Amino acid sequence: MEKEAKAYLRIKNFVAPFIGLAVDISAYGTENIITNGKVILTCNHRSDMDPFILSYTFPRFISWIAAEYTFRIPIFRDLAKIAGGIPMSIDGNISIGSIKMIQQVFKKGETLGIFPEGHDYMVKNDFKSGMVDFHSGFAAFSIRNKVDILPSVIIPVEESYSDIPIPPIVRSFMGMPKEVCEIKKRAIYKKVKVIYGEKVDHREFLSGTLEENMKQLSDVVRTRMIALQEGQYAEA
């Protein structure tokens, strides 16, 4: 992952000034960031700007898991590949190649970034609603690889909404799922808070069946993230 990490940092250093000019970003709870060793970073997902916002405030290389269809989008596809992006199908299935990439992330002591809501919040297209239900794949990664989870949230302070720039017919031609083709609006951040919570220790979820532990761990992480979203963090 060393080559990917270097590419990620080059892209980040190039994009960061533009992100900083376009969006007023404040980060809280940064003392909770795990600075060394393998970790899974989770965040809510309301906008296609989210990975850029989170990467702006997170000091480490993040190998992002992204929906497989996004790797068909011109420019993003190439950037994602060279920066260590890992494709995953929307039904939760993941290829052997992607599993090996995830294992390499952990072997190298790096950060795996994932949005447990998938694209479901954006498909819902109601930007005033709370987080939607989580997909539990991230919990399986945590338990099977013995990796702690660092929950985070992006909270919009000021934002606007615009039509998706890629027309539905073009999205369909690119192979995007029907529900994604039908998304009408996207959130454009003007001012946001990024809040990092305390890590969730994977060791508490190693006894019992994998299915039960995945659900429990997913529920705990979601509860922590909702608490952060609702302001249960004391700003310094």
Side-chain angles (χ1 to χ4, degrees), residues 137-151:
F138 76 98
F141 299 149
S142 171
I143 293 167
R144 285 174 172 159
N145 296 280
K146 297 180 171 57
V147 186
D148 294 336
I149 296 174
L150 179 66

Side-chain angles (χ1 to χ4, degrees):
M1 301 298 292
E2 184 177 351
K3 180 177 68 175
E4 290 82 0
K6 289 180 178 179
Y8 170 93
L9 292 174
R10 284 199 299 270
I11 294 170
K12 176 179 176 178
N13 289 336
F14 176 78
V15 173
F18 300 99
I19 295 291
L21 285 173
V23 187
D24 182 354
I25 305 171
S26 299
Y28 302 95
T30 53
E31 68 277 6
N32 293 318
I33 292 176
I34 299 168
T35 55
N36 292 290
K38 59 186 181 181
V39 66
I40 296 174
L41 175 65
T42 61
C43 188
N44 59 324
H45 198 20
R46 332 175 51 259
S47 169
D48 50 14
M49 298 176 70
D50 293 335
F52 301 100
I53 297 295
L54 207 60
S55 296
Y56 182 90
T57 66
F58 195 78
R60 301 176 57 184
F61 163 52
I62 305 172
S63 187
W64 286 105
I65 284 186
E68 183 272 335
Y69 65 80
T70 62
F71 286 78
R72 302 175 202 147
I73 301 174
I75 300 177
F76 176 86
R77 171 187 58 211
D78 299 326
L79 290 175
K81 285 182 178 179
I82 66 174
I86 301 174
M88 183 174 181
S89 65
I90 59 174
D91 61 7
N93 291 326
I94 189 165
S95 68
I96 296 298
S98 292
I99 290 174
K100 289 181 178 179
M101 291 174 70
I102 290 171
Q103 290 173 338
Q104 280 298 307
V105 170
F106 296 144
K107 184 178 179 181
K108 295 291 186 180
E110 300 287 1
T111 303
L112 182 72
I114 189 166
F115 298 105
E117 293 172 290
H119 63 221
D120 296 352
Y121 187 96
M122 290 183 287
V123 167
K124 186 177 180 181
N125 227 214
D126 178 4
F127 300 105
K128 302 301 182 183
S129 67
M131 278 186 279
V132 299
D133 292 339
F134 281 8
H135 300 270
S136 59
F138 76 98
F141 299 149
S142 171
I143 293 167
R144 285 174 172 159
N145 296 280
K146 297 180 171 57
V147 186
D148 294 336
I149 296 174
L150 179 66
S152 68
V153 293
I154 296 173
I155 301 175
V157 178
E158 182 181 346
E159 65 183 352
S160 62
Y161 310 103
S162 72
D163 293 335
I164 300 288
I166 304 174
I169 191 170
V170 177
R171 283 180 259 168
S172 178
F173 181 76
M174 293 167 61
M176 295 187 182
K178 182 175 182 292
E179 65 269 25
V180 175
C181 294
E182 294 175 351
I183 296 174
K184 292 180 171 59
K185 298 288 184 179
R186 64 187 289 259
I188 302 175
Y189 299 136
K190 302 296 183 183
K191 183 176 183 180
V192 299
K193 293 181 181 180
V194 179
I195 303 179
Y196 295 96
E198 295 181 354
K199 74 174 183 180
V200 178
D201 195 324
H202 74 277
R203 292 174 296 182
E204 299 177 17
F205 304 90
L206 296 180
S207 61
T209 67
L210 176 62
E211 185 176 352
E212 291 172 345
N213 288 331
M214 284 171 57
K215 184 180 186 312
Q216 291 174 4
L217 178 52
S218 179
D219 288 346
V220 167
V221 173
R222 187 173 185 275
T223 299
R224 294 271 193 97
M225 288 170 61
I226 289 173
L228 293 174
Q229 199 176 47
E230 292 177 347
Q232 296 179 33
Y233 173 81
E235 297 179 10

